[in-house]
Amino acid sequence: MALAKFDIHHIARVEGHGDLFVELKEGKEPRVEMRITEGTRLFEAFLRDHGHNEVSHIMSRICGICSHSHAIAALRAVEAAMQIEPHLQTHQLRKLQLIGDNLASHALHINFLALPDYVGARNVIEMLPKYQEEVQRALRLKKLANDLMELIGGRHTHALCAVVGGYTHVPTSSQLQSMRKRLQEAIPDAEAQIELMGMFAEPKLVRRSQYLAVKHAKDYPLYEGDLVTDKGLRVPESEYTSLIKERNVPYAHAKFSEVEGKPFVVGSLGRLNVAKDQLSDNAKRMTKKVGLKLPSYDIFQMNLGQAIEYLHYLDQSIEIIDDLLTQNLHADIVDYKTRSGSGAVAVEAPRGVLVHEYRFNARGRVLAADVITPTAMNYSNIEADVRSLSPVLQELSKDEAELRLNMLIRAYDPCISCSVHFVRTA
Amino acid sequence: MSTGKPKPVVALYGLTCCAGCQLEILNLEDDLLDILGHINLVQFRMGSSATHPGPYDVCFVEGSVTNEAELTRLKELRENSKILVAMGACATTGGVNAIRNGRNIEEFKQSVYGDASHVNTFPQILPLKSHVKIDYELQGCPISGQEFVEFLTALLTGAEPREKNYAVCVECRMKENVCLMKEGELCLGPITRAGCGALCPSLGFPCEGCWGPVPQANVESEIDMFSQKGASFDLVVRKFRMFNASAEEFMKQLKRRLNIEWL
């Protein structure tokens, strides 16, 4: 007989449509299913036969919230397949776009999606009377990120200037200078955001899992590198299939993933647990100030982790702009020859490791595509977390238990429309 | 502005899509709190755990209908809403979801999922107006936040929302851009509805048509221009289908001009 059953339909304040089903049974493993009900979208199938220079604009449409991450991953993968080497300024502008994506998504998730639960509200509007300053700050932090994405990519959702080999349009030096000033001025806001999220030590769910990020020799995880876990596994991004194993589940339009047969975590804790030493000095100082011990195995600290990353990425974007200002920026697309080949890359989207892989024929047309999104990577770990939460769930009232489950899922900042439909074709 | 009248009850819904249009509304940081002061936003699953069964004065729906459950949902929303607004390319012209139209859906499913027996999806993606009566459409992939504000302002003040019945080219000329068509690019600006402010061409990228067909679009002449520039048959078809594979105004003429059976 079931001790308790939870059937949470259409989890709120996450992107997309998903349900959670939990059945706690006497003396048995609980039954836990992340039922991903978002309609399937079949991107990898309909992408076939498209030209290599159409890929990034189409794949951007996988997700509004992390559209820049998908576009940049697609561009890097196309270039890897065709051995195209863009100039330094292109890489730096793309890093700024990726940072913008991470900043905007983090500000949205921390303040609008996660925070209401911690202050007893159902949405940001209900928070307004008591938390006017916090909401205003959140809007400032979000707007700054959107303006950064628009400045570099041409639009905050679905950028358009970044193309294979370069950019059709670049910002002027004076635009970059005024953006730099705004990024610098936002540091106090970013620090206040960390202090706010640092106040919420409860609830906790400490369970040691595996943590995965795109690790680079010089920079905190972002644009390129090896896939590295906190347990010391390391593979080049192009060999992701040797590390990440996917499987179908009958109740979801998304594939679930494991590393060495076990669930793993990507996202802010994935990055922090693998690369905490690469944080900016500001971000390290604030981590210490709020008393976050890294590595952390408390999944609810994904929220605080994002706040720390907001500050880190601000610092990193200022560094990149300083570097760009020493160059003579101009719209620049390298010459290249269309050729057959395949390329696989990984970048850090706001929710964690994002893999794109494509294979092209000699005319540069897509033969096959594969995308693994961070949310899909996290599903298996979410289910494992819910199972380990079951003793606690039995002690809570039904409403409290449902809220706890919702908060747990929201801590992962899932992007469900991203996660449906991604597997290797052919 | 307080007129003493009750605020309209407004809902935002998402069907299958990238949620970018709802995000464009959230991205109106400077106006967001002002907007929320003028409407009673009761349903916004992406931003609130509160729910409201309706009826709604205005309901905005983004995304496409891809299965029976979504079709039922859309019909309920129609029943429950005085004004139903289709929002974004997925809802108005099929968007990228409709690229599947006319293709072998079973093979598509199988190529993505292997055993696809648990995957339930329609082979054809249609604009929402083909399923239920739609009162207004906001175009774009994603919509423009500014157009959303203009639209809402018109509704709140009792004015008839203004439709832009002219092409992207008009906006592009007003910006005094160099014509990308003359530079040899394949630009859909001449036959695409204005509203974006000629965003892409102003940044050196040819229009991809995400605002959908402008009324009385001369599709045949556009196809001929593309062909004269050396575009292959396949490329022309892909250009027209990227965001508009279920926009009848485009597909009918494309089918006739290029004699394509499967469209």
Side-chain angles (χ1 to χ4, degrees):
Chain A
M1 207 196 93
L3 289 168
K5 216 188 221 177
F6 303 93
D7 198 352
I8 301 173
H9 186 70
H10 196 164
I11 302 152
R13 300 207 314 278
V14 301
E15 197 288 314
H17 306 124
D19 306 338
L20 176 68
F21 179 85
V22 184
E23 195 175 23
L24 306 177
K25 295 173 185 173
E26 186 82 60
K28 272 194 192 162
E29 269 283 285
R31 182 171 154 214
V32 178
E33 293 177 0
M34 267 302 280
R35 294 177 176 172
I36 303 307
T37 52
E38 177 89 22
T40 184
R41 296 171 70 205
L42 305 170
F43 269 88
E44 299 93 324
F46 73 67
L47 188 71
R48 286 172 303 174
D49 291 333
H50 279 84
H52 68 287
N53 49 5
E54 297 161 348
V55 172
S56 72
H57 279 202
I58 292 178
M59 298 310 261
S60 165
R61 268 72 187 182
I62 290 170
C63 174
I65 298 183
C66 37
S67 63
H68 293 250
S69 303
H70 281 289
I72 303 285
L75 291 172
R76 281 198 55 230
V78 171
E79 288 163 358
M82 299 195 182
Q83 297 157 41
I84 300 165
E85 188 44 65
H87 296 140
L88 177 66
Q89 79 163 40
T90 295
H91 293 303
Q92 286 172 315
L93 290 168
R94 287 180 185 166
K95 285 181 192 175
L96 287 180
Q97 266 187 263
L98 268 181
I99 286 177
D101 221 18
N102 276 274
L103 294 179
S105 180
H106 282 9
L108 175 74
H109 175 250
I110 293 166
N111 299 287
F112 291 15
L113 309 185
L115 189 56
D117 289 326
Y118 288 90
V119 297
R122 291 178 300 177
N123 53 53
V124 75
I125 307 166
E126 290 182 357
M127 281 171 51
L128 264 177
K130 257 176 103 177
Y131 299 94
Q132 183 86 25
E133 169 49 27
E134 285 78 3
V135 173
Q136 295 286 1
R137 183 175 66 220
L139 290 170
R140 287 196 297 273
L141 289 171
K142 192 161 156 332
K143 183 176 167 57
L144 173 67
N146 283 335
D147 290 349
L148 175 62
M149 287 189 284
E150 187 175 352
L151 178 67
I152 313 295
R155 178 160 58 187
H156 28 71
T157 308
H158 302 320
L160 51 109
C161 314
V163 296
V164 176
Y167 277 79
T168 62
H169 177 91
V170 295
T172 64
S173 295
S174 71
Q175 284 175 317
L176 279 177
Q177 262 153 358
S178 60
M179 177 52 72
R180 186 199 187 283
K181 186 161 173 276
R182 289 180 59 198
L183 292 162
Q184 185 78 44
E185 286 167 358
I187 289 176
D189 272 352
E191 290 179 348
Q193 184 174 248
I194 296 172
E195 297 205 53
L196 173 69
M197 295 317 288
M199 285 161 51
F200 308 117
E202 295 293 332
K204 275 189 175 59
L205 178 61
V206 179
R207 183 179 69 80
R208 171 124 203 222
S209 183
Q210 309 177 82
Y211 302 82
L212 176 74
V214 181
K215 188 122 171 27
H216 184 264
K218 282 197 199 122
D219 292 330
Y220 186 76
L222 183 69
Y223 180 67
E224 60 190 334
D226 291 341
L227 293 168
V228 173
T229 73
D230 67 317
K231 297 196 171 164
L233 297 175
R234 176 186 282 264
V235 302
E237 54 186 349
S238 57
E239 291 170 26
Y240 69 97
T241 48
S242 69
L243 188 70
I244 301 167
K245 304 290 182 198
E246 292 181 295
R247 63 183 163 93
N248 269 325
V249 294
Y251 47 82
H253 278 172
K255 289 197 108 182
F256 285 35
S257 300
E258 270 99 27
V259 165
E260 296 203 309
K262 292 192 185 112
F264 62 101
V265 178
V266 295
S268 66
L269 279 191
R271 293 183 284 253
L272 287 166
N273 285 352
V274 165
K276 63 179 184 336
D277 297 337
Q278 292 174 312
L279 282 172
S280 71
D281 292 344
N282 271 337
K284 277 182 189 158
R285 176 175 52 78
M286 289 303 296
T287 306
K288 212 168 176 185
K289 189 171 177 194
V290 294
L292 177 66
K293 299 261 183 311
L294 292 173
S296 166
Y297 306 126
D298 175 5
I299 203 70
F300 284 101
Q301 297 297 4
M302 291 276 253
N303 300 319
L304 175 59
Q306 287 191 341
I308 289 165
E309 289 191 328
Y310 192 106
L311 179 59
H312 167 83
Y313 286 133
L314 267 191
D315 287 329
Q316 193 181 351
S317 65
I318 292 167
E319 258 178 50
I320 294 170
I321 290 178
D322 282 342
D323 204 27
L324 280 170
L325 284 169
T326 65
Q327 301 171 40
N328 177 26
L329 270 192
H330 57 287
D332 166 68
I333 302 168
V334 294
D335 285 331
Y336 63 86
K337 216 177 114 235
T338 304
R339 64 172 95 192
S340 65
S342 57
V345 304
V347 302
E348 288 287 349
R351 289 152 194 82
V353 178
L354 168 67
V355 172
H356 276 226
E357 178 176 28
Y358 305 97
R359 199 168 80 240
F360 297 96
N361 66 16
R363 288 155 61 221
R365 303 278 281 272
V366 178
L367 293 173
D370 186 23
V371 172
I372 312 180
T373 69
T375 294
M377 292 187 200
N378 276 333
Y379 281 139
S380 187
N381 205 72
I382 294 178
E383 289 190 348
D385 275 351
V386 172
R387 277 193 289 275
S388 78
L389 199 62
S390 56
V392 180
L393 294 177
Q394 292 174 49
E395 289 164 14
L396 297 172
S397 73
K398 179 104 178 157
D399 283 354
E400 287 169 333
E402 285 201 358
L403 177 64
R404 185 69 57 89
L405 288 169
N406 270 291
M407 286 175 79
L408 171 65
I409 292 168
R410 282 198 276 271
Y412 285 86
D413 189 8
C415 189
I416 292 172
S417 34
C418 266
S419 73
V420 291
H421 42 70
F422 294 120
V423 225
R424 164 169 318 273
T425 58
Chain B
M1 183 186 76
S2 175
T3 56
K5 279 197 290 185
K7 294 179 193 174
V9 175
V10 177
L12 290 179
Y13 269 95
L15 300 171
T16 292
C17 63
C18 79
C21 293
Q22 288 198 54
L23 188 65
E24 281 304 283
I25 297 170
L26 269 178
N27 283 347
L28 290 163
E29 295 91 359
D30 293 338
D31 300 320
L32 193 62
L33 298 182
D34 198 20
I35 292 169
L36 293 173
H38 286 95
I39 63 174
N40 183 12
L41 182 60
V42 294
Q43 178 82 34
F44 184 21
R45 206 65 182 148
M46 185 168 146
S48 175
S49 48
T51 55
H52 188 291
Y56 313 119
D57 292 313
V58 191
C59 177
F60 293 89
V61 184
E62 65 170 0
S64 308
V65 168
T66 67
N67 56 40
E68 284 297 339
E70 288 180 331
L71 185 56
T72 306
R73 192 84 204 99
L74 179 65
K75 286 178 177 166
E76 286 167 4
L77 292 174
R78 173 68 277 180
E79 293 269 302
N80 265 328
S81 312
K82 276 191 208 145
I83 296 174
L84 190 62
V85 186
M87 184 165 76
C90 294
T92 57
T93 59
V96 294
N97 287 329
I99 297 177
R100 70 172 72 171
N101 291 4
R103 300 303 177 90
N104 181 346
I105 192 73
E106 289 310 316
E107 189 277 329
F108 268 32
K109 276 160 55 176
Q110 209 191 5
S111 78
V112 175
Y113 291 94
D115 173 11
S117 52
H118 66 300
V119 179
N120 168 25
T121 194
F122 289 164
Q124 294 279 331
I125 302 301
L126 301 173
L128 299 191
K129 67 183 175 200
S130 301
H131 296 295
V132 297
K133 180 176 173 285
I134 294 290
D135 299 295
Y136 297 100
E137 290 186 331
L138 290 173
Q139 287 86 6
C141 183
I143 59 160
S144 135
Q146 197 191 327
E147 281 206 317
F148 175 81
V149 173
E150 285 169 13
F151 176 80
L152 200 61
T153 308
L155 281 190
L156 288 170
T157 54
E160 185 59 23
R162 201 163 56 97
E163 263 198 69
K164 297 195 177 91
N165 287 326
Y166 48 90
V168 170
C169 276
V170 175
E171 295 180 322
C172 203
R173 286 274 173 85
M174 281 165 70
K175 291 199 160 180
E176 301 181 357
N177 291 329
V178 175
C179 177
L180 291 174
M181 283 284 242
K182 287 189 182 147
E183 307 263 290
E185 300 274 7
L186 307 179
C187 182
L188 285 170
I191 54 168
T192 300
R193 186 190 289 271
C196 59
L199 180 68
C200 293
S202 301
L203 298 172
F205 199 89
C207 173
E208 295 179 308
C210 74
W211 248 256
V214 67
Q216 277 126 39
N218 191 344
V219 175
E220 291 200 9
S221 137
E222 181 84 357
I223 295 169
D224 292 347
M225 275 199 286
F226 280 11
S227 304
Q228 282 160 21
K229 289 178 192 305
S232 68
F233 177 94
D234 286 6
L235 181 58
V236 174
V237 173
R238 291 207 306 276
K239 285 268 174 199
F240 273 85
R241 281 173 50 85
M242 184 162 170
F243 293 107
N244 291 293
S246 75
E248 209 185 329
E249 303 90 320
F250 278 178
M251 288 309 111
K252 249 191 188 161
Q253 293 193 61
L254 193 64
K255 184 172 182 165
R256 194 171 58 222
R257 188 71 181 175
L258 299 179
N259 201 13
I260 304 169
E261 279 289 316
W262 57 269
L263 273 181

